[in-house]
Amino acid sequence: MEKIYQQALLYDFYGELLTEHQRSIYEDAVCNDLSLGEIAQDRGISRQGVHDLIRRCDKILREYESKLRLVEKFMNAREKVAKIIELAREPDQAADSLPEIHRLAEELLQQL
């Protein structure tokens, strides 16, 4: 499950950088959950060809992430926002939480 989630995130951020052919097949495999055999039959190519293309796309998307770190920054920001929401939900402790909320908000702004 974790691998599929990671692939989907990478695709969401960098999928447009793949060719149309790569995007189409990768989307069928990762997002539409079609089997290699189903994709191969639909496209008139071998199952091995589909497998190789998906592996190549995985590698390309991971390379984009290693250089740009957009998914990492997004996940970090998401965690900070969740923490801010959690801290703000406790009305009786809100005043005590303000320094932490402020620190997290500053970190988010620095990421932009």
Side-chain angles (χ1 to χ4, degrees):
M1 182 63 164
E2 179 66 29
K3 180 182 177 189
I4 296 293
Y5 180 69
Q6 183 68 19
Q7 286 175 309
L9 270 176
L10 290 171
Y11 181 74
D12 285 345
F13 279 86
Y14 306 113
E16 290 297 316
L17 299 173
L18 298 173
T19 67
E20 178 61 38
H21 179 69
Q22 290 170 329
R23 241 188 346 261
S24 174
I25 290 178
Y26 196 80
E27 190 173 304
D28 279 348
V30 174
C31 302
N32 299 331
D33 199 29
L34 296 179
S35 71
L36 299 180
E38 290 171 317
I39 297 168
Q41 186 176 11
D42 288 348
R43 307 296 171 130
I45 56 178
S46 71
R47 186 180 178 285
Q48 183 64 43
V50 173
H51 178 265
D52 291 345
L53 184 103
I54 292 169
R55 286 182 52 137
R56 198 165 42 254
C57 289
D58 278 336
K59 183 178 182 226
I60 290 167
L61 296 174
R62 283 192 312 271
E63 286 173 356
Y64 284 134
E65 175 60 13
S66 73
K67 292 176 181 154
L68 301 173
R69 300 280 185 213
L70 296 178
V71 174
E72 179 184 315
K73 291 174 187 174
F74 169 77
M75 296 303 287
N76 190 331
R78 190 174 167 179
E79 288 173 17
K80 288 178 181 163
V81 169
K83 183 67 175 173
I84 289 170
I85 290 169
E86 179 186 321
L87 291 169
R89 279 199 179 135
E90 302 295 330
D92 55 328
Q93 296 177 359
D96 295 337
S97 299
L98 282 178
E100 178 69 5
I101 291 171
H102 180 74
R103 183 187 67 75
L104 291 168
E106 285 292 325
E107 288 178 11
L108 282 169
L109 286 174
Q110 289 175 5
Q111 282 184 327
L112 299 176

